[in-house]
Amino acid sequence: MILPVSSFSLKKVNNFNFKSNVVITTFEDLDSSVNKEIVPFVKDNQQLYYDVGKIGYVLQHVVQLKKKNETDLFQYKFDQNLMGFLKNDDELSKIISSAEKFDIYKRDYDRFVKMASMPLYSENIQLKNKIDDVTLLYKDNDILNQISLVSNVYKKSIENLQDSLDNITLENLYPEVFKQTKDYNDKYMKAIAFTCLNPCYDGLKIINEMNKIKNELKSKDINYLPILNRLEYLQSQYYKIIENKKSFYENKPDIEKFVFENKNIENSLLKDDNLNQVYDALKVECDKKVSELYKNFKSEIDTRLGFNQNIDFLQCENLLQRLVKANSEIAEIFDSIKKSYIAKQYDNIQN
């Protein structure tokens, strides 16, 4: 039985022989226990530890490659949009750009209208008149109506595109490959778990550290206190290994079965090039879907909306400038009302 010894008590003792006897006794007790409990265990289970580790190492590569491809595919989908096609259609690109600006200005205007109904602002004539003037800019404007219609179809196309891209997955298009890679990942996680269950590595560390201390104790010039501190730590590690051995032996049959079933797994793994080619094919499917939705988008605005691209963009830009200027003027009126209200409240407090 190993008797724990506190290094704190040793600090108070000045007798050299006593110190050396305590350290040597502690070392011999622990060394005896290590040779009895740890060394045979490591000898019997070290190969099993290495075999599980090898399987995990082999699987780690394909698991990480699949993860990298999934990340790349996600980013590829994220970057997909219809704008790549619109770059080749200057007139349509201008309309979409104008529509996006219009949406921003319209949201600001709607927010101002809602704010204007609040008690603090509802009685202000200047604000009411300004909002009424801006409202006229939005009513029955042929250019903005046409741009808005195209924008709505464009937004719907983008939503459809996202839904379609979400369905382009390894599981949906290549279910067998998905099943393979899922099996690899499951086995990889199991290899990690089985490696953690086997305390051989910690046992080897204790054995090596005990051999170092054994050699140090042969020296004539020894500082016993640091050695005792190390022995105390090794004692705690020893007890952890003894406790972990119980769990290991309970699972050892499953670990041995896992090693037997997967000892040659590297020969059956999906090749890197094959996995990469599958993900390249998924990206091609994304490209096809974008192209298809762009054609549908063009067809809808050309036929159902009777879209006419001969829009006076100079007139459109002037109108957008009027909207943004009007919103800015409304915002200034709101700011003026708030400042006036705060000033009155301050005067009331002072008086």
Side-chain angles (χ1 to χ4, degrees):
M1 179 180 178
I2 303 175
L3 298 177
V5 179
S6 173
S7 60
F8 294 104
S9 61
L10 196 62
K11 292 179 182 178
K12 301 178 182 179
V13 180
N14 294 319
N15 186 284
F16 178 83
N17 290 330
F18 179 82
K19 289 181 178 181
S20 62
N21 288 337
V22 170
V23 171
I24 292 173
T25 300
T26 303
F27 171 80
E28 290 176 347
D29 287 344
L30 181 57
D31 190 52
S32 175
S33 297
V34 168
N35 285 322
K36 181 181 178 181
E37 297 289 344
I38 305 299
V39 173
F41 173 81
V42 170
K43 183 178 180 182
D44 291 342
N45 298 289
Q46 187 174 9
Q47 188 59 49
L48 186 61
Y49 178 84
Y50 289 145
D51 289 342
V52 174
K54 179 184 175 182
I55 293 170
Y57 179 78
V58 170
L59 288 167
Q60 182 184 43
H61 172 74
V62 68
V63 168
Q64 290 181 341
L65 181 61
K66 194 251 185 178
K67 183 178 180 180
K68 178 183 180 301
N69 273 300
E70 280 291 325
T71 301
D72 290 346
L73 179 62
F74 175 83
Q75 185 63 48
Y76 194 81
K77 290 179 180 180
F78 182 80
D79 293 338
Q80 292 297 309
N81 53 59
L82 301 183
M83 293 305 294
F85 291 94
L86 294 178
K87 289 178 182 178
N88 300 321
D89 193 328
D90 188 56
E91 296 295 312
L92 200 53
S93 295
K94 288 180 181 180
I95 291 177
I96 298 300
S97 176
S98 298
E100 289 174 343
K101 292 179 183 178
F102 173 74
D103 287 341
I104 294 173
Y105 304 154
K106 184 65 165 59
R107 283 198 299 270
D108 288 342
Y109 161 77
D110 291 339
R111 179 169 56 85
F112 290 146
V113 171
K114 187 175 180 179
M115 287 176 59
S117 65
M118 298 171 63
L120 179 61
Y121 309 111
S122 59
E123 301 299 325
N124 190 285
I125 301 301
Q126 182 187 12
L127 178 61
K128 182 179 181 303
N129 291 338
K130 188 62 182 178
I131 289 179
D132 288 343
D133 290 341
V134 177
T135 301
L136 295 176
L137 294 175
Y138 289 96
K139 283 188 175 180
D140 300 325
N141 189 297
D142 291 338
I143 294 178
L144 293 182
N145 286 339
Q146 191 170 22
I147 287 176
S148 295
L149 287 173
V150 175
S151 176
N152 290 336
V153 176
Y154 178 74
K155 290 176 185 177
K156 186 63 177 178
S157 298
I158 293 296
E159 292 175 5
N160 292 338
L161 173 61
Q162 189 59 55
D163 291 340
S164 298
L165 294 180
D166 286 343
N167 289 322
I168 299 176
T169 65
L170 186 67
E171 182 176 9
N172 288 342
L173 274 65
Y174 296 92
E176 287 302 317
V177 177
F178 173 80
K179 184 179 178 181
Q180 279 182 285
T181 56
K182 184 179 184 303
D183 182 58
Y184 297 155
N185 187 74
D186 292 343
K187 288 181 178 180
Y188 174 63
M189 298 306 296
K190 187 173 287 188
I192 292 175
F194 284 159
T195 300
C196 293
L197 279 172
N198 191 334
C200 267
Y201 181 71
D202 292 331
L204 278 171
K205 289 198 295 184
I206 287 184
I207 293 171
N208 291 334
E209 187 65 15
M210 289 296 291
N211 288 333
K212 288 181 183 179
I213 293 175
K214 184 177 182 179
N215 290 329
E216 291 174 20
L217 290 175
K218 295 176 182 178
S219 174
K220 295 181 179 180
D221 185 18
I222 303 174
N223 188 344
Y224 286 102
L225 183 57
I227 292 178
L228 187 63
N229 288 334
R230 288 158 64 191
L231 288 172
E232 288 178 344
Y233 172 74
L234 292 175
Q235 281 181 348
S236 67
Q237 295 302 108
Y238 167 84
Y239 287 120
K240 286 182 180 179
I241 292 175
I242 296 302
E243 185 63 30
N244 291 337
K245 280 170 58 178
K246 300 176 185 177
S247 177
F248 167 75
Y249 281 121
E250 290 174 358
N251 291 276
K252 186 174 181 180
D254 291 335
I255 299 175
E256 290 175 329
K257 180 181 178 183
F258 175 78
V259 169
F260 177 78
E261 292 176 345
N262 299 282
K263 57 184 177 181
N264 296 317
I265 194 170
E266 64 272 16
N267 298 328
S268 61
L269 287 179
L270 191 65
K271 302 301 181 183
D272 290 8
D273 288 345
N274 292 338
L275 185 59
N276 290 334
Q277 286 171 6
V278 168
Y279 276 93
D280 287 341
L282 289 174
K283 292 177 182 177
V284 170
E285 290 300 317
C286 292
D287 294 338
K288 289 180 181 177
K289 186 56 64 176
V290 174
S291 178
E292 176 188 335
L293 286 174
Y294 176 75
K295 290 178 181 178
N296 293 340
F297 165 66
K298 281 283 291 179
S299 175
E300 185 167 5
I301 61 175
D302 288 341
T303 57
R304 187 173 70 83
L305 297 181
F307 174 62
N308 178 6
Q309 291 192 14
N310 296 321
I311 290 178
D312 187 339
F313 283 102
L314 179 60
Q315 183 181 355
C316 178
E317 186 60 31
N318 289 336
L319 180 58
L320 291 173
Q321 290 299 321
R322 289 176 63 189
L323 292 177
V324 70
K325 181 181 178 182
N327 282 346
S328 177
E329 291 172 349
I330 293 175
E332 289 178 2
I333 297 174
F334 274 114
D335 188 56
S336 176
I337 294 172
K338 283 190 290 186
K339 287 180 179 179
S340 177
Y341 174 77
I342 293 172
K344 288 180 179 179
Q345 297 298 314
Y346 180 78
D347 289 340
N348 292 338
I349 294 174
Q350 294 298 314
N351 296 329

